[in-house]
Amino acid sequence: MRWLSLLLFLFFAGCDKPSDKIIIATAANVQYVMKEIQQEFEKESGKKIQIVVGSSGKLTTQIREGAPFDVFVSADVKYPQEIFEKGGGAEKPKVYALGTLVLWSKDIAENDLTTDVLTTEKVKKIAVPNPKVAPYGEAAIQVLAAKNLLKTIEKKLVYGESIAQTAQYITSGSAEAGFNALSIVLSDEMKGKGHYVIIDSTLYKPIQQAAILLKHSDDSPKKAGSEAFYQFLYSQKAKAIFRKYGYK
C-alpha cells in the first residue's frame, strides 16, 4: 500500500518507533500555521508531533487506505465529514477557520492585478490548485465562472496538485499569475515574493476548514496525545496564530 512507504519515511525521519509522535495530516494551505502551532503545543504539552502535508483530497485517500495519521486538518469540511461518515472519526469534524482566496503574481503590480488581467497577453499561464483535490482550487474556478471568464482563459490554466505546488509555479514565474491562499502569501517563507490581491469573498463559497480527530483504539499509546492536540487546535493560542495568517 502507498501508506506503507509513508510509514517507513516517518520511521526513518527521526522516530525511534512509529508510535513516538502524533502524526498530523495537514492541508497544504495550513502548513506554515501548523509549524507555529506545533511549537506552541510541544512547548506546552511536552509531546512531539509530526506534520505530513498534502492536498486535502490526497490525504483523505491515504486515510482511507490506512495511513497512520492521528488528526486530519483539512482545507474544507467535505473530506473530514466523509471520513466521519465512514467510521474513521472519533467525533464529528469541527470548523477551525475560514480561508481567504487571493490572486498572486511574481511580476504584475498590485494595481494591475485583477481577474481581468488574466484575459490579456500579459498572462500566458494561470496557476490554480487542482479543484478535484484542493478546496482553494474549487473556489478559484467558482470565481472565474462568476466573472464569466472560465471559457475565455481555460486553456491558460495550469493545475498544481496542491496549494504548495501552485505557489511554486507563481513564485518561480512559471505562471504569470495564480490563485492561492492568503495564509501562504503571509507566511515568512513567501512574504514579499511578488504581489497579491484578496478576492471578493462573495464570488466563491465560504472556505470552511475543518479538522477531525481520527479514531484510535482505547489502548492506543497515542490516543491521549492526539486528543490533546485536537483540543489545542481550537484554543485561544491557536486561534491567534490562525488570525496572524489571515484566517477568519
Side-chain angles (χ1 to χ4, degrees), residues 104-108 122-128 155-160 164-178:
W104 187 13
S105 174
K106 180 179 177 231
D107 298 314
I108 300 172
K122 189 180 290 187
V123 177
K124 294 178 174 58
K125 291 181 181 178
I126 304 162
V128 179
K155 291 182 179 178
K156 295 184 179 184
L157 301 181
V158 178
Y159 295 107
Q165 188 176 59
T166 308
Q168 290 175 357
Y169 292 159
I170 298 166
T171 56
S172 68
S174 298
E176 289 80 10

Side-chain angles (χ1 to χ4, degrees), residues 4-224:
L4 184 57
S5 60
L6 171 65
L7 181 59
L8 290 171
F9 168 77
L10 293 169
F11 181 88
F12 289 113
C15 297
D16 292 329
K17 295 180 293 183
S19 62
D20 283 346
K21 292 185 179 180
I22 303 159
I23 305 173
I24 313 299
T26 303
N29 77 90
V30 199
Q31 61 182 304
Y32 299 119
V33 184
M34 201 56 59
K35 285 181 182 179
E36 289 201 30
I37 290 177
Q38 176 182 19
Q39 290 171 0
E40 289 296 323
F41 175 75
E42 290 182 346
K43 184 169 63 176
E44 186 173 294
S45 69
K47 299 180 184 297
K48 296 293 183 182
I49 69 172
Q50 181 132 1
I51 298 167
V52 176
V53 177
S55 68
S56 296
K58 288 201 166 182
L59 291 170
T60 299
T61 298
Q62 290 172 358
I63 291 167
R64 281 197 215 107
E65 293 176 349
F69 301 143
D70 300 299
V71 177
F72 176 30
V73 182
S74 180
D76 69 355
V77 176
K78 177 181 72 174
Y79 288 119
Q81 183 64 28
E82 177 187 312
I83 291 166
F84 174 73
E85 289 174 358
K86 292 184 177 180
E91 57 185 73
K92 287 184 178 180
K94 293 192 297 186
V95 173
Y96 60 85
L98 292 178
T100 299
L101 186 70
V102 300
L103 182 61
W104 187 13
S105 174
K106 180 179 177 231
D107 298 314
I108 300 172
E110 188 176 322
N111 289 341
D112 298 324
L113 195 54
T114 66
T115 50
D116 289 336
V117 79
L118 302 178
T119 65
T120 68
E121 287 298 315
K122 189 180 290 187
V123 177
K124 294 178 174 58
K125 291 181 181 178
I126 304 162
V128 179
N130 184 349
K132 293 180 180 178
V133 294
Y136 281 81
E138 190 176 347
I141 296 300
Q142 291 168 7
V143 170
L144 294 174
K147 288 281 191 176
N148 295 315
L149 296 175
L150 191 54
K151 287 185 179 179
T152 307
I153 63 174
E154 202 164 12
K155 291 182 179 178
K156 295 184 179 184
L157 301 181
V158 178
Y159 295 107
E161 283 306 304
S162 69
I163 280 281
Q165 188 176 59
T166 308
Q168 290 175 357
Y169 292 159
I170 298 166
T171 56
S172 68
S174 298
E176 289 80 10
F179 292 92
N180 218 279
L182 178 60
S183 59
I184 297 294
V185 299
L186 291 181
S187 68
D188 289 340
E189 288 84 349
M190 297 295 176
K191 197 174 289 183
K193 292 186 177 181
H195 313 277
Y196 73 92
V197 292
I198 294 175
I199 297 293
D200 180 356
S201 61
T202 64
L203 297 175
Y204 58 92
K205 293 178 183 177
I207 305 174
Q208 292 185 311
Q209 302 195 194
I212 186 167
L213 175 64
L214 299 173
K215 191 168 283 186
H216 296 77
S217 62
D218 288 337
D219 60 352
S220 168
K222 293 199 288 182
K223 184 177 181 182

